[in-house]
Amino acid sequence: MSEPEIFNKPKNHLLAALPDEDYQRLLPHLEQVQLPLRKILYEPGETPSAVYFPNNAMVSLVATMEDGATVEVGLVGAEGVIGLPIVLGGKATVYQAIVQLPGTGTRLDADIFKPEFERGEYLQRLVLLYTQALLTQVSQNAVCNRLHTIDERLGRWLLSVQDSLEADELPLTQEFISQMLGTRRASVTVAAGSLQEQGIISYSRGKITILNRERLREKSCECYNVISGEFNRLLGLKRNSS
């Protein structure tokens, strides 16, 4: 399959939403790349050299404390793009962007992306709408981590990961989930066990399968609906459909 054929139907929602004329202008500069597990796309304080549009991978925006503790502040999948500091004026961020679930993505050099954004056309509008949706996710996650139980937070997070990967089977370990939620592994074990007993998920070593999405939504807090509602409103993504 030739490279143009690969990109005829972009898997990333932002690229797929571009008018054909805009997409064709970018096409010669788009590179399909592997996003392997734990690949760091940029570090805190670093200006990204490229943007990445995930296809079927999940990238976490992670805050790391002085003692080495980590917590996920945002996640990006096929609905979004990594590398926003390139066009937001600040050039860098305090978060690390790291591939947490491997897959593929589309890479575009910053020196192509930034001028295209500054044309002020449809790409700029899409990226700004996505930025607003991502800010909602980040701020709502902060509220969720402060006010809601681990059971509710786990439900919200699993739904968000499912949306990002667009899959029911999620390659997740309890240790990884505890790191992303900023909580103890034992707490995740208890919460996941409860969901499994109720037939909402099944869990085997290194894999969680969502069996009943509607029940999982019932068990999660209202934060998921707030976040998914903004993605729906701003980008037309039916993220909370059953």
Side-chain angles (χ1 to χ4, degrees), residues 33-36 38-43 46-54 59-60 82-83 96-99:
V33 295
Q34 293 293 320
L35 296 176
R38 302 296 183 183
K39 178 178 175 63
I40 296 173
L41 302 184
Y42 59 79
E43 293 278 15
E46 178 183 331
T47 300
S49 60
V51 293
Y52 294 83
F53 298 89
V59 180
S60 292
I82 292 291
Q96 180 189 68
I98 181 171
V99 178

Side-chain angles (χ1 to χ4, degrees), residues 59-112:
V59 180
S60 292
L61 304 179
V62 176
T64 304
M65 301 296 99
E66 289 183 355
D67 64 359
T70 61
V71 64
E72 181 184 77
V73 298
L75 60 85
V76 183
E79 78 290 340
V81 60
I82 292 291
L84 291 175
I86 292 170
V87 294
L88 294 183
K91 296 185 180 180
T93 179
V94 297
Y95 304 124
Q96 180 189 68
I98 181 171
V99 178
Q100 300 287 27
L101 297 176
T104 64
T106 302
R107 185 183 187 277
L108 179 64
D109 284 342
D111 58 3
I112 301 295

Side-chain angles (χ1 to χ4, degrees), residues 14-241:
L14 292 184
L15 290 178
L18 288 174
D20 186 64
E21 178 181 351
D22 294 8
Y23 181 69
Q24 293 300 323
R25 187 167 57 248
L26 291 178
L27 185 57
H29 307 287
L30 298 176
E31 177 189 4
Q32 182 158 309
V33 295
Q34 293 293 320
L35 296 176
L37 181 67
R38 302 296 183 183
K39 178 178 175 63
I40 296 173
L41 302 184
Y42 59 79
E43 293 278 15
E46 178 183 331
T47 300
S49 60
V51 293
Y52 294 83
F53 298 89
N55 295 328
N56 55 1
M58 190 187 86
V59 180
S60 292
L61 304 179
V62 176
T64 304
M65 301 296 99
E66 289 183 355
D67 64 359
T70 61
V71 64
E72 181 184 77
V73 298
L75 60 85
V76 183
E79 78 290 340
V81 60
I82 292 291
L84 291 175
I86 292 170
V87 294
L88 294 183
K91 296 185 180 180
T93 179
V94 297
Y95 304 124
Q96 180 189 68
I98 181 171
V99 178
Q100 300 287 27
L101 297 176
T104 64
T106 302
R107 185 183 187 277
L108 179 64
D109 284 342
D111 58 3
I112 301 295
F113 178 67
K114 187 175 181 181
E116 186 68 25
F117 177 88
E118 291 173 346
R119 290 169 68 102
E121 298 179 1
Y122 202 79
L123 177 66
Q124 183 186 86
R125 183 175 187 277
L126 273 177
V127 169
L128 290 177
L129 287 172
Y130 171 70
T131 302
Q132 182 174 339
L134 182 63
L135 287 173
T136 298
Q137 181 193 97
V138 171
S139 59
Q140 198 66 33
N141 284 352
V143 172
C144 189
N145 290 341
R146 173 65 179 84
L147 298 178
H148 294 140
T149 67
I150 182 59
D151 301 67
E152 293 172 322
R153 291 164 56 200
L154 176 61
R156 181 264 303 168
W157 190 79
L158 288 175
L159 288 168
S160 295
V161 173
Q162 184 185 35
D163 288 338
S164 291
L165 293 183
E166 299 182 333
D168 295 333
E169 189 174 293
L170 311 174
L172 302 169
T173 65
Q174 291 185 7
E175 181 178 4
F176 168 68
I177 295 172
S178 68
Q179 291 173 348
M180 293 301 97
L181 294 181
T183 191
R184 296 183 304 118
R185 179 176 176 177
S187 299
V188 173
T189 299
V190 172
S194 175
L195 291 176
Q196 181 162 254
E197 288 174 3
Q198 297 173 70
I200 297 173
I201 68 171
S202 66
Y203 177 75
S204 59
R205 187 172 181 83
K207 182 177 68 175
I208 289 179
T209 302
I210 296 177
L211 303 175
N212 191 323
R213 181 177 170 87
E214 278 305 307
R215 289 285 309 284
L216 186 59
R217 286 179 60 194
E218 292 170 4
K219 293 294 181 179
S220 67
C221 54
E222 68 264 32
C223 295
Y224 175 73
N225 286 335
V226 172
I227 295 168
S228 61
E230 278 296 270
F231 276 90
N232 292 351
R233 183 179 72 87
L234 296 170
L235 298 169
L237 299 177
K238 300 302 180 184
R239 301 191 70 182
N240 60 346
S241 58

